[in-house]
Amino acid sequence: MVGLSQKDVLRADQFSREEIALIAKTARRYEEAVARGKVLRDLRGKILCTLFFEPSTRTRLSFEAAMLRLGGQVVSVAEPKSSSAAKGESLHDTIRTVEGYADVIVLRHPEIGAADKAARSTNRPVINAGDGAGQHPTQSLLDVYTIQKEKGKVDGLTVALVGDLKNGRTVHSLSQVLSLFDVRLILVSPPALRMPREIVEALKGRRVVEETPDLLKAVREADVVYMTRIQRERFADPTEYERLKDSYILTQEALREGKGRVTVMHPLPRVNEIETSVDQDSGAAYFRQAANGIPVRMALLALVTGAI
Ligand code: NCD
């Protein structure tokens, strides 16, 4: 049975292709309804709590806007220093408290595995909005939704994931979701920032996966180029960050080497990875990608709360 009611969303590899199709179908319906100016009430009377212990713009705002678009309401901790975690409260106690206030919890936390821990503390659905250098499953759902919209399909494509594949949670999750499709993956990173071995091994069991440090080679072969930021906050040694920070910068000239219209994606925030002149390119999809966060997160909230 395909269904997400009362389920947690913790990791990208928890999803089946059927569940991804259900989320996409629901998101498409919501996207059209919002575009028509329809006022929705599917989550009327429900409360979402967003608990963000790491910085965020898009993820928190789009979850909150998604909840409001569905007629629900939001309570939020956006500034970790303003919550009792700053007084030494455990995550377990915070979650036990918040379950008394809200029907669904969206958590971003600097520790890998924090969302799993939170999910064990409550029966309310917990959605992982990023656990340190671990996972970012809802981003990968909106990423695959974006690829489908931009390219009209996912199967048969070559997708290059570029940048800090070691620490970037978006690419950990996206590679797992894409491995459900007939996709060829090119993993582009400096040797020091390669994708964790256990993820690569699991991917290789399913799909063709190549690893290379060569961005230009990947651009020439890819239908989709997914750029990511070098994750400064995950580096113990600042000089190592300085050495690697500008490893890849996508320019218009590089993009012209691609076959036809290459779709360029980025979870954002961008630091230096894509020249701003690329924004004019019709394949530059990153701001459309960010906007897709609304319908996809509306779908997730409605499905996990069992409202539809
Ligand atoms: C990403 C994240 O937080 O992991 N941002 C996002 O949610 N769109 C990417 C990043 O911070 O580099």
Side-chain angles (χ1 to χ4, degrees):
M1 234 269 308
V2 179
L4 291 165
S5 182
Q6 300 306 318
K7 282 202 186 150
D8 302 307
V9 175
L10 303 175
R11 312 176 44 82
D13 57 6
Q14 77 179 63
F15 292 112
S16 65
R17 202 163 151 161
E18 289 70 32
E19 285 170 332
I20 288 173
L22 172 67
I23 294 161
K25 188 173 133 210
T26 311
R28 239 176 341 261
R29 197 157 56 70
Y30 281 141
E31 187 175 348
E32 282 160 18
V34 170
R36 284 202 313 275
K38 198 157 187 283
V39 177
L40 298 160
R41 297 205 164 79
D42 291 357
L43 288 184
R44 201 156 98 170
K46 300 273 189 207
I47 296 177
L48 160 69
C49 179
T50 54
L51 274 176
F52 277 63
F53 297 114
E54 265 195 347
S56 169
T57 304
R58 276 149 291 270
T59 306
R60 187 175 63 82
L61 290 183
S62 65
F63 262 114
E64 295 182 358
M67 191 66 183
L68 298 174
R69 285 274 185 221
L70 286 168
Q73 287 172 296
V74 178
V75 291
S76 181
V77 172
E79 173 49 69
K81 290 188 193 71
S82 74
S83 84
S84 285
K87 300 181 190 166
E89 185 171 54
S90 70
L91 183 61
H92 175 78
D93 287 2
T94 304
I95 297 292
R96 287 300 306 273
T97 305
V98 164
E99 73 175 351
Y101 304 158
D103 303 284
V104 51
I105 299 166
V106 173
L107 174 72
R108 172 169 287 188
H109 196 281
E111 260 169 52
I112 294 178
D116 305 76
K117 208 192 271 176
R120 286 195 294 273
S121 299
T122 177
N123 290 326
R124 301 282 193 216
V126 171
I127 300 179
N128 181 5
D131 59 323
Q135 287 269 327
H136 196 348
T138 69
Q139 177 73 40
S140 63
L141 294 171
L142 77 91
D143 291 342
V144 80
Y145 183 78
T146 301
I147 295 172
Q148 173 68 45
K149 261 177 82 179
E150 296 286 324
K151 291 293 191 200
K153 62 176 184 179
V154 181
D155 286 314
L157 297 179
T158 297
V159 180
L161 306 180
V162 184
D164 187 349
L165 307 186
K166 178 181 176 206
N167 301 302
R169 55 197 174 197
T170 64
V171 280
H172 299 164
S173 291
L174 180 56
S175 61
Q176 292 174 338
V177 165
L178 287 177
S179 76
L180 296 174
F181 295 81
D182 179 18
V183 159
R184 182 177 152 228
L185 280 174
I186 310 180
L187 305 179
V188 184
S189 71
L193 299 178
R194 286 168 78 195
M195 184 73 88
R197 288 306 89 189
E198 64 276 14
I199 295 183
V200 175
E201 289 315 316
L203 294 175
K204 280 189 173 158
R206 286 171 169 275
R207 296 292 160 212
V208 179
V209 182
E210 288 159 45
E211 295 183 273
T212 174
D214 188 345
L215 174 61
L216 208 53
K217 177 179 176 291
V219 170
R220 289 193 186 112
E221 294 175 17
D223 302 291
V224 177
V225 175
Y226 189 100
M227 302 296 296
T228 65
R229 158 180 90 82
I230 308 296
Q231 307 276 303
R232 179 172 48 185
E233 66 274 37
R234 313 283 176 227
F235 282 71
D237 174 3
T239 59
E240 182 69 352
Y241 171 73
E242 287 303 317
R243 182 174 78 80
L244 293 166
K245 67 176 184 188
D246 288 330
S247 296
Y248 299 112
I249 299 175
L250 188 66
T251 61
Q252 272 184 311
E253 298 70 64
L255 211 48
R256 275 190 219 110
E257 299 271 323
K259 47 178 172 96
R261 178 175 181 268
V262 179
T263 296
V264 181
M265 295 173 64
H266 193 307
L268 304 176
R270 152 172 69 183
V271 182
N272 238 345
E273 309 77 46
I274 306 175
E275 274 189 352
T276 51
S277 58
V278 172
D279 299 2
Q280 279 27 280
D281 194 281
S282 65
Y286 23 96
F287 294 112
R288 295 193 288 276
Q289 179 185 355
N292 289 336
I294 298 288
V296 171
R297 290 180 168 128
M298 289 173 77
L300 275 173
L301 289 170
L303 289 166
V304 301
T305 54
I308 53 167

